[in-house]
Amino acid sequence: MSQIHRTRADEPIGALVSDASQQISQLVRAEMRLAQAEMTQKGKRLGLGGGLFGGAGLVAVLGLQALVAAAIIALALVLPWWASALIVAGGLFLVAAVLAVAGRKNVKQATPPAPRQTIASVRADMDEIKGRAHR
């Protein structure tokens, strides 16, 4: 007796479509699990990197405080302590004011947060489309 070997070509189309659908579904789920694992790993690295940047910022602030103290002490060699502290504080307030003015200027340029150029470009495109439609 001969055995009949069935191949994929012998299967009904409905079964093939069902198998393909199931395989695509499995593939999509596997890809989603892979993406989730990758994003979890990247999130952990991002958190660690953010923490390290925060630590670097803190150490930089402490370094700046030491420089301010050194400037006060250096001025105190020729002026009274209180005068040297006032001069350094005044210089710091001046730098803060300049930074605040520059920051305010940048914030004004960024508001409102609507993409003005894109909106203008889309309006121009719409006007062009309307113009061609009426011709």
Side-chain angles (χ1 to χ4, degrees):
M1 294 208 195
S2 70
Q3 264 188 330
I4 299 176
H5 294 286
R6 291 186 69 185
T7 62
R8 295 290 291 185
D10 295 332
E11 290 186 34
I13 291 181
L16 292 174
V17 170
S18 175
D19 288 349
S21 175
Q22 183 181 13
Q23 289 173 355
I24 290 172
S25 178
Q26 289 173 349
L27 178 63
V28 168
R29 281 195 289 270
E31 291 293 341
M32 292 299 289
R33 284 192 299 270
L34 177 63
Q36 182 181 16
E38 183 180 358
M39 293 307 292
T40 299
Q41 182 183 16
K42 286 186 179 205
K44 287 178 183 176
R45 286 185 179 264
L46 185 63
L48 178 62
L52 291 172
F53 270 124
L58 175 63
V59 171
V61 166
L62 293 173
L64 286 173
Q65 289 176 343
L67 284 176
V68 167
I72 292 171
I73 292 169
L75 276 175
L77 296 174
V78 293
L79 296 171
W81 284 93
W82 63 268
S84 60
L86 282 177
I87 290 170
V88 171
L92 290 172
F93 285 133
L94 181 65
V95 170
V98 169
L99 291 174
V101 168
R104 184 172 183 250
K105 180 181 174 185
N106 282 329
V107 168
K108 274 189 171 183
Q109 290 175 348
T111 55
R116 291 180 185 172
Q117 290 178 341
T118 303
I119 291 171
S121 176
V122 168
R123 284 186 179 151
D125 291 344
M126 293 302 294
D127 291 342
E128 180 68 24
I129 291 169
K130 287 178 185 177
R132 289 185 185 205
H134 292 310
R135 290 181 198 169

